[in-house]
Amino acid sequence: MNISTPTQPIRTPGDILANIPGILGFFPSESVILISIQPSPHGFSMGPVARLNLNDVPAALQEVMDAFHCGNPESIFGFVLSQRQEEDLWDILHSLYRFQDRSGVGIDACWLAEELSTDTAYDLIFGHASEDGEGPLQNWMEGTIPAISTSHSMRECVNNGMLPELSRNDLVQRFKDHNPYFGKEEISAMERCCREIARQLRAGRGYQTSDPVQVVKRLIADVRFVLSEVESLEETLENEELLCAAAMWMSTTWTRDLVITELVSAPREAGDLLLAVARTFQGSIRYNALALYAASQVSHEFGIYAGPALSVLVEEAPHHNLGRLIAQGYRSGMGRRLVTSLCHGCELAREAAGLGADAPQSSFGG
């Protein structure tokens, strides 16, 4: 299951469909797309968007609805994307039509289309429209998908230097590819060194001082310096010094929690750095890096990679507490509120480490 959280204005089902690749970051196929429609100052807009494999219906519907209820859904729309014959989809369509969650809320309308491509036809399968075309959805019963290349979400993708992948597998591969510049033995040695340095810092020793408060202050200053040195993902993958510095932060809960504010305040630099760390190391270092990568992308206006990063994290480490917390907040459409909470937690961690409320704040813009 993939859930993203856009806020796009609603005009027609075709406009919604045209925006889905840019929202999810890939072109879904043989999928069910569920969209929470929410009131906005300009009418109605798209809230959280969830994608399900056809085979996951109806089992995963309740989980999606639980996430949607954390917002303020006015309606729930569904889109079935499949090239199967309609009679072969009957059980899935019937499940969507009959579904009601624990609070009695169901899917208000559902459309069927063969694929997400320009000029592809879509038809209303069920919804609030009578047989003679009367009703609130009478102008939404059928149509074709407009130019995907000119949709709002696609323009945002282009403006940020990326295009949606052709499939979900292509998208998540971004988070599964390993660093090609270092061998296993090198990485193991780097990891041992990072963990040892993190333990020394936790004991109040490091940065040429034995004053625990000074250790924390210099750690935070070091984070800012390291982020200022990040140029690109590819260059960071080759840079052992940058990788080891960030891996040390991700080695323990204590160091990780002390650096959150700096990371989410510099989403571009932190994104490249944390993704490089996640692709280099394994275990808790990788999982902490993926979690804070997602948090940093949520704090970015264009956070298209947060969802797939969290999906990979939850698949690999379902019991990782921070990852699970961030995933729940993101899927509920409360990503920015969650980032605020994470920064507050960072402040508390710093206070517990001896830094007062007047400790210097990040110099990066959010």
Side-chain angles (χ1 to χ4, degrees), residues 1 3 32 34 48 50-53 55-71 73 76 95-96 98-107 328 331-332:
M1 178 176 67
I3 297 186
V32 172
L34 295 177
R51 186 206 68 88
L52 301 173
N53 292 323
N55 293 336
D56 291 337
V57 177
L61 291 177
Q62 184 62 58
E63 181 184 355
V64 172
M65 296 297 280
D66 286 344
F68 284 179
H69 279 310
C70 292
I76 306 295
S95 296
L96 295 171
R98 294 281 303 241
F99 176 77
Q100 284 191 340
D101 67 10
R102 287 184 284 263
S103 60
V105 175
I107 299 167
Q328 289 172 346
R331 289 175 173 178
S332 300

Side-chain angles (χ1 to χ4, degrees), residues 290-302:
L290 281 175
L292 292 188
Y293 170 88
S296 72
Q297 298 310 290
V298 168
S299 69
H300 194 285
E301 289 185 2
F302 184 74

